Amino acid sequence: HRERRLDELRDMALRAAQVPYTVERASSWEPETLPRLRAVNPLGQIPTLVLEDGSVLTESAAILLCIAQRHPEAGLLPVTEGALFQALRGMVFIAANCYPAVSLSDYPERGTTETTRESHAHVRQAARERLHQSWAVFADLFSGHESLNPAKPGVLAFLAVTVSQWSGARTSLKAHRPRFHATLRRLERHPIVASVLAEHRET
């Protein structure tokens, strides 16, 4: 499940900020837990973060930015204005361009009123082409940004590492943007990122 993989983002950021947290298992694909999830997130999506005061955060980029903002000592966002603005731009770029294309690739019926397998295949192919083009643009725009430093990744890196795993994006990047693909692979070897990825792949 793509949603389950988005939990990786939450765990990377919280561990990088050294914030203690408790995970409550609830998801849209588990009918017995869905009502508990919908009680805090009517869309039934994960990750959903409930803060100490009971307020609720949804949307992965918003959760990452909240954690980074509340824990500046973790260095998850740049300090200088120009670099900060570009990190925010990169996060919105992924949320606005890459993730919707992944969703349409997974659920092509949402992009057409046609019901045939052939029409759905066309939608899926178009979505993947758009996704791969978006990642190529991202690589051109953001390669070398300090938030993508494999030695000290920020929330932009967590988002890029996670979302680029889907719908053939890594294969496309390896072929067309090999240097950026290599950066993603180095980011995955960072101790926090590597430990979270390993744990989630075991579940």
Side-chain angles (χ1 to χ4, degrees):
H1 290 281
R2 308 286 190 197
E3 289 184 3
R4 179 181 296 169
R5 299 298 289 276
L6 287 172
D7 278 351
E8 295 173 352
L9 292 167
R10 172 206 63 203
D11 291 352
M12 289 174 194
L14 288 170
R15 293 186 193 182
Q18 299 183 21
V19 178
Y21 63 99
T22 301
V23 176
E24 182 170 349
R25 185 184 179 94
S27 65
S28 60
W29 58 89
E30 296 176 337
E32 66 278 12
T33 66
L34 181 56
R36 190 161 65 249
L37 177 58
R38 287 195 185 279
V40 291
N41 184 348
L43 291 178
Q45 295 176 338
I46 59 173
T48 295
L49 185 64
V50 181
L51 302 178
E52 302 95 316
D53 62 1
S55 60
V56 176
L57 274 176
T58 64
E59 314 311 322
S60 296
I63 290 172
L64 294 178
L65 291 172
C66 171
I67 295 169
Q69 178 70 22
R70 293 185 75 183
H71 301 278
E73 72 283 355
L76 298 177
L77 281 171
V79 175
T80 59
E81 186 176 84
L84 171 62
F85 290 168
Q86 290 304 308
L88 298 178
R89 177 191 180 194
M91 294 184 73
V92 174
F93 183 100
I94 293 173
N97 296 287
C98 301
Y99 191 67
V102 170
S103 296
L104 201 55
S105 174
D106 285 350
Y107 304 101
E109 66 277 7
R110 297 176 181 176
T112 178
T113 58
E114 299 293 331
T115 59
T116 66
R117 182 176 299 179
E118 182 180 9
S119 65
H120 292 176
H122 287 319
V123 172
R124 179 178 289 110
Q125 180 62 30
R128 289 196 169 205
E129 289 177 1
R130 177 58 183 254
L131 173 68
H132 299 168
Q133 180 186 34
S134 293
W135 274 116
V137 171
F138 182 92
D140 293 341
L141 291 174
F142 299 101
S143 289
H145 190 278
E146 66 179 79
S147 289
L148 298 174
N149 180 356
K152 189 172 176 54
V155 287
L156 177 60
F158 300 155
L159 193 60
V161 163
T162 300
V163 180
S164 66
Q165 297 176 74
W166 305 333
S167 301
R170 288 288 183 90
T171 299
S172 177
L173 284 168
K174 186 175 183 179
H176 302 289
R177 298 296 188 277
R179 292 181 64 182
F180 182 67
H181 180 271
T183 296
L184 291 171
R185 295 293 291 164
R186 289 196 298 273
L187 284 165
E188 287 182 330
R189 293 195 288 271
H190 184 274
I192 291 175
V193 177
S195 64
V196 170
L197 292 177
E199 289 174 15
H200 282 262
R201 287 167 184 172
E202 290 174 357
T203 60

